Amino acid sequence: TQDVLDRFRKSDLIILDYHLQKGSSDGDKAIQIIQGLVGTEHFNTVVVYTREPDLQKVWLEIAAGLHGEWRDYISLLEEEPDPQKKETLFSLWEKLDISSISVPRSIVESYLVTGKYNKVQEWKLLSEELVGKGIPFEHLTRIADALIHHEVKNGLLRGSAAEVHHPIVGSSTGPVWIQSGHCFVAII
């Protein structure tokens, strides 16, 4: 695999099948190859071909794999400096039935690209749902961050995420593309 990756790093254009493993429905191997290209000095253009009709799903999987630094809720909630608030956050998280909450794709996408999601239309619906489940307004952002990380780690990422955070830009609608580091990825 390292030999193949070394050859890819020297290529200007790479056409990559998203489903590299025969009979597999995931793109883990393709994502690993793209992860290996992001940090190189050579600029690579990758065209990812997929039989998956939902290109936004493929975009989210690749973007989440490139983004890296996905953590569990414990480490996210531990960042709260106020011990009283931290205890409250953990108590709220434990009472929350996270299996009944689905974080909309648009929120995850916005978080991947900008690190923010409060301008996304679906944020209002998710925040209302969380408030309805007993989350006080002052704790919405921390709980939502933990939910996003949980959703990505346990849903989108079947393989490994990048070890280092790579900022990404892109679009999951219209022409579907991602740019991260020295790598431009078009998904068709």
Side-chain angles (χ1 to χ4, degrees):
T1 306
Q2 187 61 36
D3 183 43
V4 171
L5 190 54
D6 287 340
R7 283 186 279 171
F8 280 165
R9 286 185 178 133
K10 298 173 187 165
S11 301
D12 293 328
L13 176 63
I14 300 159
I15 299 174
L16 186 61
D17 187 337
Y18 189 63
H19 303 97
L20 287 173
Q21 293 176 307
K22 188 174 184 175
S24 175
S25 63
D26 66 54
D28 291 345
K29 292 287 185 197
I31 293 170
Q32 288 173 1
I33 289 169
I34 296 168
Q35 287 171 344
L37 297 172
V38 168
T40 66
E41 293 300 315
H42 185 82
F43 191 85
N44 299 104
T45 301
V46 181
V47 176
V48 174
Y49 176 78
T50 179
R51 68 177 178 262
E52 171 63 52
D54 186 352
L55 296 182
Q56 185 184 38
K57 177 179 180 265
V58 173
W59 186 96
L60 283 168
E61 290 172 356
I62 294 172
L66 293 178
H67 183 277
E69 294 187 338
W70 297 107
R71 303 183 324 211
D72 61 28
Y73 75 92
I74 293 173
S75 65
L76 286 165
L77 300 181
E78 283 289 340
E79 290 178 353
E80 173 57 56
D82 181 313
Q84 195 80 6
K85 286 183 180 178
K86 187 186 303 185
E87 185 178 323
T88 301
L89 284 167
F90 276 102
S91 175
L92 291 168
W93 182 267
E94 294 302 324
K95 292 177 186 173
L96 198 59
D97 178 13
I98 58 173
S99 66
S100 70
I101 300 169
S102 178
V103 179
R105 283 182 176 182
S106 59
I107 290 176
V108 176
E109 180 180 339
S110 181
Y111 188 84
L112 284 164
V113 175
T114 68
K116 301 173 186 168
Y117 46 82
N118 60 343
K119 302 284 187 214
V120 177
Q121 187 174 12
E122 286 83 0
W123 167 241
K124 182 179 180 199
L125 297 173
L126 180 60
S127 61
E128 288 172 356
E129 179 182 359
L130 291 173
V131 168
K133 292 182 181 282
I135 306 298
F137 184 78
E138 68 179 296
H139 298 301
L140 279 178
T141 302
R142 288 247 193 226
I143 295 293
D145 286 351
L147 281 168
I148 291 168
H149 280 254
H150 178 79
E151 182 93 4
V152 171
K153 281 187 75 162
N154 297 300
L156 288 173
L157 291 180
R158 290 179 298 269
S160 60
E163 296 294 318
V164 179
H165 170 69
H166 296 286
I168 63 168
V169 293
S171 174
S172 66
T173 58
V176 182
W177 61 277
I178 300 170
Q179 193 272 315
S180 182
H182 290 103
C183 192
F184 179 85
V185 181
I187 303 165
I188 58 170

